[in-house]
Amino acid sequence: MTADDAGTEADSEAASDDFDGASEIADVLPRPDDPLAEAVEAALAGRSAVVAVGVPIRLLPAVLAARERSSGDPWRIACRPGVVDALSRALVLGSAVAEAVEGGEIRIRTGEPLGHGTGGTLFAGPERVDAVVGPRGGRTLATTAADAQVAAAGSEAVDGTRATAESRFDAASAATVGMPSRTRLLAHAREVLDDRFADDLAALLASLAPGEFGRTTGVTDRTLLVALAARHDHLFRDLRTWVGTDGVGIAPAQEFTGDRQALVDRGLIESIKVPMGPGRPMLRLRAVDDALLRARVEEVPSVLRGRFALPTDADGRIRDDASREGRRPVWERRRW
């Protein structure tokens, strides 16, 4: 196998290619300057009949991007344990993977990585094999090609390695992505909420990087969805009906209450009680912060991050001094 130094990963825990099921998704997905992920995408783009085993969540976005630039039969992807489960808590990446599965682009299973003392990840096709090799902090992508310029031994190595990859995929466990596909997500949003919300969500999903808005960060995917609903004055009940619709299942409806309150505490939205017949009044979500209201939908994430980065008091509300300081003109804040 000839080393193809197409990619070397950064030596940092944030770029770890292992996933233990407890790490925050954004901490293990590739950064924009991740050479190994870029090398994987470049190596796989345009290929056919790819079989992959031992794929960590860090390389999954690269595999999806490469598949979008390819055609033919579905690629067979055996992810490492914990990866598919993590996708159920990743709105951006999980919905993209589910879309590819439902569209017949890929097949997903769960299996152990290769135990040959390297990176444990292998991509095999009829013409070549690519493997992640080397110690942690120094991973590279190594390639063996089967073409006219390679000896017969090289062709035999490709055939044998591909057979190994296929057998490992066949032995892997079937897995279902818990996050809905983007098609189902948006279709139900149009039905339960409205076209404006669905259009905003579609534009936002298309603009976000795969690792953004996990389930345990300060600004979660639920926070983002509540903020989007408030920009269109939707009832909180309708939002929770949508996320609990059969076939959607983003998260349990009751989990959105904390995210709604966090947005209220930071002065981004209001919850307005609306009497609607007998029983408890409904809550209408309404955006009241000018920045949130006037931002293009692609700018909403930065608005939320900026507001959530401000210091808060014990009740979760933005401290008065922090709020005032953020609104004072720059010439009044400077110290001469």
Side-chain angles (χ1 to χ4, degrees), residues 128-240:
R128 58 185 282 184
V129 171
D130 300 274
V132 176
V133 299
R136 180 180 296 184
R139 303 277 200 243
T140 60
L141 195 64
T143 300
T144 292
D147 56 33
Q149 299 177 352
V150 179
S155 179
E156 291 175 2
V158 169
D159 293 342
T161 306
R162 178 176 173 81
T164 298
E166 290 179 336
S167 65
R168 295 295 289 267
F169 177 84
D170 291 341
S173 302
T176 301
V177 179
M179 187 63 66
S181 69
R182 295 187 179 182
T183 296
R184 283 191 287 127
L185 199 64
L186 298 174
H188 285 297
R190 295 185 192 282
E191 179 181 339
V192 178
L193 297 168
D194 60 23
D195 288 344
R196 297 174 305 152
F197 177 88
D199 290 342
D200 273 4
L201 180 57
L204 197 54
L205 289 173
S207 69
L208 289 171
E212 296 193 69
F213 293 98
R215 189 54 52 85
T216 61
T217 52
V219 184
T220 70
D221 56 342
R222 298 170 310 209
T223 313
L224 182 64
L225 294 174
V226 175
L228 285 183
R231 278 166 50 101
H232 298 296
D233 284 6
H234 282 299
L235 291 173
F236 189 43
R237 179 197 63 179
D238 292 343
L239 175 69
R240 303 206 315 175

Side-chain angles (χ1 to χ4, degrees), residues 65-309:
R67 174 61 203 184
E68 290 177 357
R69 298 162 57 187
S70 309
S71 59
D73 293 335
W75 287 6
R76 291 169 285 175
I77 313 297
C79 296
R80 298 189 184 196
V83 171
V84 176
D85 177 65
L87 295 177
S88 67
R89 302 184 297 277
L91 177 65
V92 185
L93 179 58
S95 62
V97 173
E99 186 75 17
V101 170
E102 289 189 6
E105 301 298 319
I106 63 173
R107 296 173 184 166
I108 289 284
R109 292 190 177 185
T110 294
E112 296 293 334
L114 296 176
H116 50 62
T118 65
T121 304
L122 181 71
F123 305 97
E127 299 84 16
R128 58 185 282 184
V129 171
D130 300 274
V132 176
V133 299
R136 180 180 296 184
R139 303 277 200 243
T140 60
L141 195 64
T143 300
T144 292
D147 56 33
Q149 299 177 352
V150 179
S155 179
E156 291 175 2
V158 169
D159 293 342
T161 306
R162 178 176 173 81
T164 298
E166 290 179 336
S167 65
R168 295 295 289 267
F169 177 84
D170 291 341
S173 302
T176 301
V177 179
M179 187 63 66
S181 69
R182 295 187 179 182
T183 296
R184 283 191 287 127
L185 199 64
L186 298 174
H188 285 297
R190 295 185 192 282
E191 179 181 339
V192 178
L193 297 168
D194 60 23
D195 288 344
R196 297 174 305 152
F197 177 88
D199 290 342
D200 273 4
L201 180 57
L204 197 54
L205 289 173
S207 69
L208 289 171
E212 296 193 69
F213 293 98
R215 189 54 52 85
T216 61
T217 52
V219 184
T220 70
D221 56 342
R222 298 170 310 209
T223 313
L224 182 64
L225 294 174
V226 175
L228 285 183
R231 278 166 50 101
H232 298 296
D233 284 6
H234 282 299
L235 291 173
F236 189 43
R237 179 197 63 179
D238 292 343
L239 175 69
R240 303 206 315 175
T241 297
W242 169 58
V243 300
T245 300
D246 184 33
V248 177
I250 298 170
Q254 63 269 22
E255 291 186 2
F256 284 75
T257 299
D259 295 89
R260 174 186 62 81
Q261 191 59 50
L263 289 164
V264 171
D265 291 341
R266 286 164 174 78
L268 285 159
I269 73 171
E270 288 181 345
S271 292
I272 304 170
K273 291 185 178 180
V274 181
M276 300 185 72
R280 298 173 60 183
M282 302 294 178
L283 294 177
R284 185 172 299 282
L285 305 172
R286 177 163 296 169
V288 295
D289 181 82
D290 283 344
L292 180 59
L293 280 167
R294 298 183 181 184
R296 293 184 298 109
V297 67
E298 296 85 357
E299 298 170 338
V300 169
S302 63
V303 172
L304 297 179
R305 290 193 186 99
R307 186 55 61 92
F308 273 71

Side-chain angles (χ1 to χ4, degrees), residues 325 328-336:
E325 181 68 15
R328 286 171 57 197
V330 66
W331 56 84
E332 293 183 11
R333 296 201 300 269
R334 292 185 61 182
R335 295 183 179 179
W336 301 92

